[in-house]
Amino acid sequence: MKDKLDKILEIVGDVKQGKTLKFLLIDWVSKLNYFNDNMSYWEYMRAVFRNIVFYNIKKAAKIQHVDDTVNDIREQFDCIDLTEILKNQNGVSKDEINGFIWVLSTCVFLIPDYNFNLLQ
C-alpha cells in the first residue's frame, strides 16, 4: 500500500507534504477496519488492552502454579501472590545454562486491583 500511495502522491510535488499525507491516509485506512467490525478505534484498543491484562493474569497464575481447574479470570487474579511469583522466578533463573525468566507485566495489574469491572 505504501508503494502505491507513493506513486499516487507524486502529484503533490512537495516530498515532505507527500510523506505526511501518505501516513495520514494509511492511518485512515487502517482505522476503517475497526468501523467494518462496528467498533470504534477506542473500543478496539480497549479490547486489546483487556486481552493484555487477561494474558498477564493467566501467565502469573501459571508461574505461581495456581490450580489449573480455576477457569475464572477473576478467581485467578485473586489468587495471585506477587511475592510467590518472584520466588518462582528467582528459582528458575538460578541455573546458568538452562535458567530463564518469564516476561510478566505486573503494572497492568493496577487496573483489576483498582476496579476489576473496568475490564468487562
Side-chain angles (χ1 to χ4, degrees):
M1 180 167 60
K2 289 180 183 180
D3 294 334
K4 290 179 182 179
L5 280 174
D6 282 335
K7 286 186 177 187
I8 294 169
L9 295 174
E10 285 178 359
I11 60 171
V12 173
D14 184 353
V15 174
K16 187 175 180 182
Q17 285 181 347
K19 282 185 178 182
T20 302
L21 187 55
K22 176 176 79 171
F23 290 111
L24 180 63
L25 288 171
I26 290 171
D27 182 55
W28 286 349
V29 168
S30 66
K31 285 183 180 174
L32 285 175
N33 290 334
Y34 310 122
F35 295 126
N36 290 337
D37 293 334
N38 292 324
M39 185 182 276
S40 73
Y41 173 75
W42 301 113
E43 290 170 326
Y44 173 78
M45 289 308 296
R46 186 178 178 112
V48 167
F49 196 69
R50 182 181 316 119
N51 285 336
I52 291 169
V53 173
F54 285 169
Y55 290 139
N56 276 281
I57 290 172
K58 289 177 183 183
K59 189 181 235 182
K62 185 175 177 98
I63 293 169
Q64 188 179 325
H65 307 293
V66 171
D67 185 11
D68 290 341
T69 60
V70 176
N71 290 326
D72 183 46
I73 195 78
R74 177 71 186 248
E75 288 180 36
Q76 286 181 354
F77 178 73
D78 290 339
C79 293
I80 291 174
D81 178 6
L82 296 177
T83 305
E84 183 67 28
I85 291 171
L86 180 61
K87 287 178 186 175
N88 289 345
Q89 290 270 33
N90 289 338
V92 296
S93 67
K94 284 182 182 179
D95 185 357
E96 290 182 22
I97 297 172
N98 296 319
F100 62 93
I101 297 176
W102 288 286
V103 177
L104 182 66
S105 179
T106 56
C107 68
V108 297
F109 294 161
L110 291 173
I111 296 163
D113 192 39
Y114 172 71
N115 184 353
F116 201 90
N117 292 329
L118 292 173
L119 299 172
Q120 305 305 326

